[in-house]
Amino acid sequence: MNKEIIVSGIRPTGNLHLGNYLGAVTNFVKMQYEHNCFFFIADYHSLTTHPNPKDLHNNVRQVLVEYLACGLNPEACALYIQSDLPQIPELYMMLNMHAYMGELERVASFKDKVRNQPNNVNAGLLTYPVLMAADIIIHKASKVPVGKDQEQHLEMARTFGNRFNRIYEKEIFPEPFAFNYGKELVKIPGLQGGGKMSKSDGDGNVINLIDSPELIRKKLSRAVTDTGPNEMNTKPSDAVQNLFDLMKIVSGEDKLLHYQNLYSNCAIRYGDFKKDLAEDMVSFLTPIREKIAEIDANHQLLKQVVQIGKEKASESANKTLKECREAIGFKPF
Ligand code: AMP
């Protein structure tokens, strides 16, 4: 298989939930063995919202611990903290010199921010896509695993890279494109009957990887269902279908079939069904929760992981930056 250079950022916010794990992180885990992957914890990016200095480090640490527990392997990929690479802001600064106010002001995510947080429209927000471009092209990435909402940012990364190449008449940056892992995007449903599992619908809608067995049982006992099937209607509601979908993932096809049959025969008891699902959810997540606790307690390991990541990513970033500095005309005396 053709090995791609893949770059992806990880936001240092909150704990991972089952949706993040199965929808995103498991793909990263596979990708790291198939491609040349750079995964970074995007703490420079988080500065636009002025995080509390006391929280920033803990948040970075927590995502690092959880990604490692999910299977990211610092030997297989470059897993690093963005702020460990001063090369990134240097490239960001160079790219900023050729980024135009007009094109930055037209970016959809910037316009959203201006609308939603008019009291904090800082220059960092305006140039956010430039920093994203620097993150990506500093490793000469060919692919970036992004959703539809990030397509405009990726387009800008191509624009800034191409512009730099053109202005300095060097072929330094290849064009990065979206990377889709597999054909189908997995969608993990939430517990509140709505759409996908997401923190924006409250903690009761998500199962976090660190949730205790008691909390998982509590959340599932409160999961939304309906009044149950009857002879006239044996098609599950969206809420119940969501729970079936979760069961398929954590319990397997056989048990799902068992409850689907009970449902079709109007014999399902939601209390039992949810209890059974909760136990399987607990079994499914226990190894990860234990791994999180184990890694969390191993400060030495985290220190090593961060150091290895920094070295790997710096090696790649330094090469690119050297080319950029030469292209621009910086020369050693
Ligand atoms: P978020 O932090 O909510 O933006 O999620 C980060 C990434 O996790 C997303 O880009 C998706 O790839 C993945 N993700 C989040 N929620 C779900 C979900 N319910 N089902 C599948 N994937 C998800």
Side-chain angles (χ1 to χ4, degrees), residues 12-295:
T13 48
N15 301 108
L16 293 175
H17 57 68
L18 188 71
N20 300 134
Y21 174 54
L22 296 171
V25 190
T26 49
N27 286 342
F28 285 4
V29 171
K30 278 186 245 162
M31 267 181 225
Q32 69 184 342
Y33 296 110
E34 294 166 2
H35 299 284
N36 189 3
C37 293
F38 294 85
F39 299 123
F40 65 94
I41 300 177
D43 56 349
Y44 278 139
H45 281 280
S46 68
L47 296 185
T48 55
T49 53
H50 312 150
N52 177 337
K54 287 202 194 89
D55 296 339
L56 185 58
H57 176 76
N58 289 339
N59 289 341
V60 168
R61 189 181 192 282
Q62 188 62 27
V63 285
L64 179 64
V65 167
E66 294 198 11
Y67 271 80
L68 288 169
C70 291
L72 275 199
N73 175 355
E75 303 289 333
C77 65
L79 173 62
Y80 61 100
I81 319 279
Q82 191 187 22
S83 64
D84 272 341
L85 259 71
Q87 299 90 340
I88 296 172
E90 186 172 344
L91 178 59
Y92 165 59
M93 181 271 298
M94 290 174 182
L95 298 177
N96 265 329
M97 302 304 162
H98 301 291
Y100 306 115
M101 285 291 284
E103 67 186 338
L104 295 173
E105 282 167 344
R106 278 196 300 275
V107 175
S109 60
F110 177 69
K111 289 200 280 191
D112 285 349
K113 290 277 182 328
V114 172
R115 220 173 300 126
N116 298 332
Q117 49 176 71
N119 297 327
N120 182 24
V121 184
N122 58 59
L125 267 186
L126 180 71
T127 56
Y128 199 90
V130 189
L131 182 54
M132 274 184 81
D135 291 327
I136 297 166
I137 68 180
I138 197 145
H139 300 301
K140 306 195 176 195
S142 49
K143 289 279 158 50
V144 184
V146 292
K148 269 259 164 289
D149 55 331
Q150 296 289 324
E151 192 46 63
Q152 192 180 16
H153 289 145
L154 195 50
E155 170 83 47
M156 294 191 80
R158 290 193 287 271
T159 302
F160 296 137
N162 283 334
R163 193 175 290 161
F164 195 98
N165 289 345
R166 200 179 60 248
I167 290 171
Y168 297 108
E169 297 179 343
K170 293 265 162 27
E171 277 305 310
I172 299 178
F173 300 114
E175 289 191 313
F177 289 96
F179 181 85
N180 289 321
Y181 201 91
K183 284 184 202 75
E184 276 175 54
L185 278 184
V186 224
K187 190 192 106 181
I188 309 300
L191 304 180
Q192 299 298 311
K196 64 176 202 165
M197 185 173 282
S198 161
K199 277 203 167 58
S200 53
D201 296 323
D203 196 53
N205 191 42
V206 304
I207 303 274
N208 294 305
L209 302 186
I210 56 159
D211 284 351
S212 65
E214 296 71 43
L215 188 56
I216 292 175
R217 291 186 188 110
K218 192 161 128 193
K219 284 180 177 177
L220 275 164
S221 74
R222 292 182 181 168
V224 174
T225 50
D226 54 30
T227 52
N230 55 53
E231 276 90 60
M232 307 292 286
N233 183 13
T234 51
K235 185 182 176 309
S237 61
D238 289 349
V240 172
Q241 186 56 49
N242 282 353
L243 299 181
F244 280 155
D245 290 348
L246 287 172
M247 179 167 260
K248 183 170 175 188
I249 295 162
V250 301
S251 316
E253 297 273 359
D254 289 350
K255 196 176 276 185
L256 172 66
L257 206 60
H258 168 70
Y259 281 102
Q260 279 176 329
N261 283 337
L262 288 178
Y263 191 96
S264 310
N265 300 329
C266 303
I268 192 165
R269 290 161 55 141
Y270 286 146
D272 296 343
F273 164 61
K274 293 203 284 188
K275 267 194 197 134
D276 208 352
L277 175 57
E279 290 318 309
D280 289 339
M281 185 68 79
V282 168
S283 306
F284 186 81
L285 290 177
T286 292
I288 301 175
R289 195 182 60 257
E290 288 176 352
K291 194 92 194 145
I292 291 173
E294 185 191 316
I295 294 173

Side-chain angles (χ1 to χ4, degrees), residues 321-322 325-333:
L321 208 55
K322 183 164 180 287
R325 292 178 130 257
E326 281 171 9
I328 282 180
F330 292 153
K331 276 192 185 153
F333 278 87

